[in-house]
Amino acid sequence: VSLTQAAIMVFHKFVEIGRVVLLTEGKYKNRICAIVNVIDQNRVLVDGPESKVPRQMVNIKTIHLTKFVIKVPHSCSEKIVKKGWAAAEITSKWQESSWFKRIQMRKRKARLTDFDRFRLMKARQARSGIIRDALMKHKRQVAKETALAGKKKRVPKKRRRATKKVQGILSSKAFNERVAKRAISK
């Protein structure tokens, strides 16, 4: 193993003092808070002054690490955590993240009534119809332009076989003679 391969770090987010985490279970589910102290291998002490999560011990299995970190000392007071939170602008950064938006969308979808779900379905169908119509209009326009440019339009296999048979009939001598006789008799 070379030095460059050994130097590449697989993980980028660690359980550390100041790491902002998302709680996944309990009363404060889907709220963010910061790690204030690591108690042991399985538990951490968290505090969320802006998200109204009181200082408490949580299991590491019930949190998700975010990319945000605040600069706070080990086992600091709530006041210092609040200052660090404000200095790093965690609340605004979190609200701009796609993770937060996904959580909000999930909550909004869970609050839908049966009638709201029906209206959503109909709106999606209408949107699909508009997109389909625009696509077909574009395809027709492109086909018209290629026909004007002298390019052959692709014909499905079944129609190709049928047209070959018709062309074979048209090229036969007997057919040509019949057409010639009709033209003469007129």
Side-chain angles (χ1 to χ4, degrees):
V1 179
S2 68
L3 286 174
T4 55
Q5 289 176 336
I8 295 172
M9 295 190 58
V10 179
F11 300 108
H12 302 286
K13 297 184 273 189
F14 303 102
V15 176
E16 59 185 317
I17 308 300
R19 174 68 64 181
V20 178
V21 297
L22 176 74
L23 300 175
T24 60
E25 290 180 11
K27 184 178 177 183
Y28 303 103
K29 182 179 179 179
N30 292 331
R31 291 195 192 177
I32 55 172
C33 52
I35 297 176
V36 180
N37 193 356
V38 178
I39 297 169
D40 63 21
Q41 190 172 333
N42 298 314
R43 299 173 298 163
V44 291
L45 186 67
V46 296
D47 193 6
E50 294 291 317
S51 57
K52 296 184 175 106
V53 176
R55 185 171 290 225
Q56 60 182 317
M57 179 188 66
V58 295
N59 194 324
I60 289 180
K61 292 178 185 174
T62 64
I63 61 173
H64 287 303
L65 303 174
T66 66
K67 63 182 179 182
F68 309 116
V69 180
I70 59 174
K71 292 189 188 223
V72 291
H74 182 272
S75 295
C76 61
S77 66
E78 187 177 337
K79 189 177 182 181
I80 295 172
V81 174
K82 198 170 190 174
K83 282 182 185 176
W85 193 280
E89 299 176 346
I90 297 298
T91 305
S92 61
K93 287 179 183 175
W94 172 247
Q95 288 174 347
E96 291 170 5
S97 72
S98 61
W99 197 349
F100 173 78
K101 290 174 184 172
R102 228 177 17 250
I103 290 169
Q104 293 303 314
M105 196 177 351
R106 227 179 280 135
K107 284 180 182 177
R108 208 174 321 133
K109 194 173 181 181
R111 285 193 306 258
L112 290 178
T113 63
D114 187 41
F115 184 62
D116 291 335
R117 282 190 292 276
F118 173 76
R119 284 180 23 204
L120 179 64
M121 178 190 74
K122 286 298 184 183
R124 284 181 178 160
Q125 286 176 350
R127 181 187 65 188
S128 296
I130 292 167
I131 292 169
R132 185 177 54 244
D133 291 345
L135 178 66
M136 291 309 294
K137 185 177 180 182
H138 177 69
K139 280 185 175 180
R140 277 189 231 111
Q141 182 67 28
V142 169
K144 189 184 276 186
E145 288 171 5
T146 55
L148 292 175
K151 293 183 179 178
K152 282 188 173 180
K153 188 178 175 184
R154 184 170 159 77
V155 182
K157 279 188 175 180
K158 285 184 178 179
R159 282 185 51 204
R160 257 189 258 155
R161 287 185 199 134
T163 53
K164 282 182 182 177
K165 285 180 184 175
V166 171
Q167 286 171 353
I169 293 169
L170 292 175
S171 65
S172 70
K173 289 180 183 178
F175 182 79
N176 289 338
E177 288 172 8
R178 276 188 243 139
V179 171
K181 283 181 187 176
R182 284 186 196 156
I184 293 171
S185 63
K186 286 183 181 178

